[in-house]
Amino acid sequence: MLRGTTDEVKHLNKSIEEARFKLRECYLQLQMQGKQINADTLKNLFLGEKKSENTLCSLIDYHNVRMKGVLAAGTLKNYLTTEKYVKLFLIKRFKVNDIYLPELS
């Protein structure tokens, strides 16, 4: 924090305090989500940057599209059934439609 009574000092102190408040909010948000808290995740959340991480459902979709011409129809049917059950599991267990791969244990 800066010392002084000029308008510029007051404005800078207010900006610093707002940044501290937003950092605390980001920290609490990560903590409530149960995500790993480190400088990079906190910085990315603070700046609004989202890492392009793959999700489980997007990986399954990618596999099914790539293997459509390679696998027999019966085998592909089994993969589609597995996809359906994975999505039901995510909804029941985690209450989400999709999950990022780094969040899986």
Side-chain angles (χ1 to χ4, degrees):
M1 301 292 285
L2 301 172
R3 293 184 189 173
T5 57
T6 63
D7 289 337
E8 185 179 2
V9 170
K10 289 178 184 179
H11 177 70
L12 288 172
N13 283 340
K14 183 179 178 185
S15 298
I16 292 170
E17 190 57 38
E18 288 173 357
R20 282 184 181 169
F21 181 75
K22 187 175 177 187
L23 275 172
R24 274 188 232 117
E25 282 184 334
C26 293
Y27 178 84
L28 291 174
Q29 182 180 353
L30 289 172
Q31 194 174 34
M32 289 178 67
Q33 292 174 352
K35 293 186 178 180
Q36 184 180 16
I37 300 173
N38 58 35
D40 290 330
T41 57
L42 190 59
K43 180 185 91 169
N44 289 337
L45 185 60
F46 179 79
L47 296 176
E49 297 174 358
K50 184 110 175 160
K51 288 174 38 177
S52 60
E53 297 172 339
N54 292 325
T55 63
L56 182 60
C57 291
S58 68
L59 184 64
I60 292 171
D61 289 337
Y62 174 78
H63 172 268
N64 291 341
V65 168
R66 298 276 294 169
M67 294 293 128
K68 194 171 200 166
V70 177
L71 298 174
T75 306
L76 188 60
K77 175 186 66 92
N78 294 338
Y79 282 108
L80 295 174
T81 302
T82 302
E83 178 183 10
K84 180 178 82 170
Y85 284 119
V86 165
K87 288 181 179 182
L88 289 173
F89 174 77
L90 288 174
I91 291 170
K92 184 175 181 179
R93 175 72 182 243
F94 299 109
K95 296 178 179 39
V96 295
N97 293 327
D98 204 357
I99 190 166
Y100 288 105
L101 293 179
E103 293 177 9
L104 294 173
S105 57

